[in-house]
Amino acid sequence: MSAITTLIVDDEKLAREGLKALLKEFSEIEIVGEASNADEALELIDKLKPQLMFLDIEMPEKTGFDLLEELIETPCVIFTTAYNDFAIKAFEVNALDYLLKPIQLQRLREAITKVKKQLSDLTQEKERLKLTENDQVFIRDGDKCWFVKLTDIRMIESAGNYAKIFFDTNQPLIHKTLNALDERLNTGMFFRANRQQIINLRYIEKIEPFFNAGFLIYLKDGTKVEVSRRQSVKFKEMMSL
């Protein structure tokens, strides 16, 4: 496995320095950045796309949990905190591990082992499940079933732990998260516009500038989709000459 690109997020400089010193024991870890608050971390995650994030929970302005709620693509997360009160919530947001400060080398070693396994499993799963534009997918909602060409799906919308699939006049719900579906879709055809919606690029009718440097996309069926500022930057990079 290649080096695991890693971001450290903690408002205490001494805590960041201490973790960096411990991580020198692990040649597979490449620290690509560090942030002292959630907003700095957001910018770095967009720019660096780290595979792993060591994340403090109690920080000024926004907590580590607040940061995760703002992310569209989430790296593997290991929480680092002086408090054990948040352990249950940490695992509810799918954190790989929860390290109490001061961090012990053996516990850090166990956490990194989990990360390596998770990344290996994810890579294999992505390759196995990746869809192409020629594929058809089976969709079932209650007692109704469809076999749909991927090219006929114009939009997918989050509904909690479900996703609503838009094709023709149908809008069935399937028990999949938007993140899980995003991993499988062809990036040359589908684009994650925001936290709630994935659109088929071939169904775009027009694009207009929108609030806070974002875009407003009109689909051919008249649906308006707001593209967040961060995703607008990605959209321009992907689609411009």
Side-chain angles (χ1 to χ4, degrees):
M1 178 183 288
S2 57
I4 300 170
T5 54
T6 302
L7 178 68
I8 297 173
V9 184
D10 197 308
D11 64 307
E12 296 180 1
K13 182 175 176 59
L14 283 177
R16 297 197 304 272
E17 294 299 325
L19 181 54
K20 284 192 292 183
L22 287 174
L23 289 172
K24 288 179 181 178
E25 297 285 329
F26 303 89
S27 59
E28 62 268 55
I29 296 295
E30 178 188 358
I31 300 170
V32 294
E34 57 183 283
S36 60
N37 58 59
D39 288 334
E40 284 182 11
L42 275 172
E43 295 296 327
L44 288 175
I45 291 167
D46 281 342
K47 179 181 178 181
L48 302 172
K49 302 290 188 296
Q51 296 167 290
L52 169 63
M53 175 166 57
F54 287 94
L55 179 60
D56 189 19
I57 295 177
E58 288 289 298
M59 296 184 291
E61 304 296 333
K62 296 177 183 177
T63 68
F65 294 120
D66 293 331
L67 169 60
L68 294 182
E69 287 180 2
E70 293 189 43
L71 292 177
I72 288 178
E73 299 175 16
T74 307
C76 295
V77 175
I78 296 173
F79 279 113
T80 58
T81 178
Y83 310 96
N84 58 15
D85 309 36
F86 304 105
I88 293 175
K89 186 174 180 181
F91 291 110
E92 285 176 351
V93 296
N94 298 318
L96 278 182
D97 214 330
Y98 186 94
L99 303 181
L100 286 174
K101 300 174 182 176
I103 296 170
Q104 303 300 311
L105 184 60
Q106 181 55 35
R107 279 292 290 117
L108 182 59
R109 184 173 288 112
E110 292 168 5
I112 290 174
T113 297
K114 291 179 185 179
V115 172
K116 289 159 67 175
K117 183 179 187 309
Q118 173 89 337
L119 291 175
S120 176
D121 290 348
L122 282 174
T123 299
Q124 293 177 32
E125 189 73 359
K126 284 180 185 178
E127 291 304 314
R128 186 176 70 84
L129 297 177
K130 204 75 172 178
L131 294 166
T132 71
E133 63 179 73
N134 297 317
D135 284 331
Q136 291 180 288
V137 291
F138 176 76
I139 297 173
R140 180 174 182 175
D141 185 357
D143 58 357
K144 293 184 178 181
C145 300
W146 299 266
F147 199 45
V148 185
K149 291 181 180 178
L150 211 59
T151 51
D152 290 338
I153 296 174
R154 62 184 179 274
M155 186 171 73
I156 305 173
E157 191 169 71
S158 175
N161 288 325
Y162 289 79
K164 185 182 291 186
I165 314 295
F166 292 76
F167 61 95
D168 296 330
T169 59
N170 304 297
Q171 299 178 17
L173 281 172
I174 63 172
H175 195 197
K176 294 279 186 181
T177 65
L178 208 62
N179 284 341
L181 293 174
D182 196 22
E183 293 286 353
R184 297 192 62 192
L185 294 172
N186 184 326
T187 55
M189 185 192 308
F190 289 93
F191 178 71
R192 183 72 176 267
N194 51 55
R195 285 176 55 83
Q196 301 299 318
Q197 294 163 311
I198 297 171
I199 59 172
N200 188 329
L201 296 168
R202 299 178 185 183
Y203 281 84
I204 294 176
E205 180 73 29
K206 65 177 180 176
I207 305 171
E208 294 179 350
F210 196 58
F211 176 74
N212 196 25
F215 289 138
L216 186 63
I217 288 179
Y218 293 78
L219 300 184
K220 292 177 181 178
D221 66 349
T223 302
K224 298 178 184 179
V225 178
E226 296 180 17
V227 183
S228 65
R229 179 179 61 84
R230 291 195 298 274
Q231 291 304 97
S232 292
V233 172
K234 184 181 294 186
F235 182 83
K236 285 188 287 187
E237 290 175 350
M238 185 175 73
M239 302 302 293
S240 299
L241 286 173

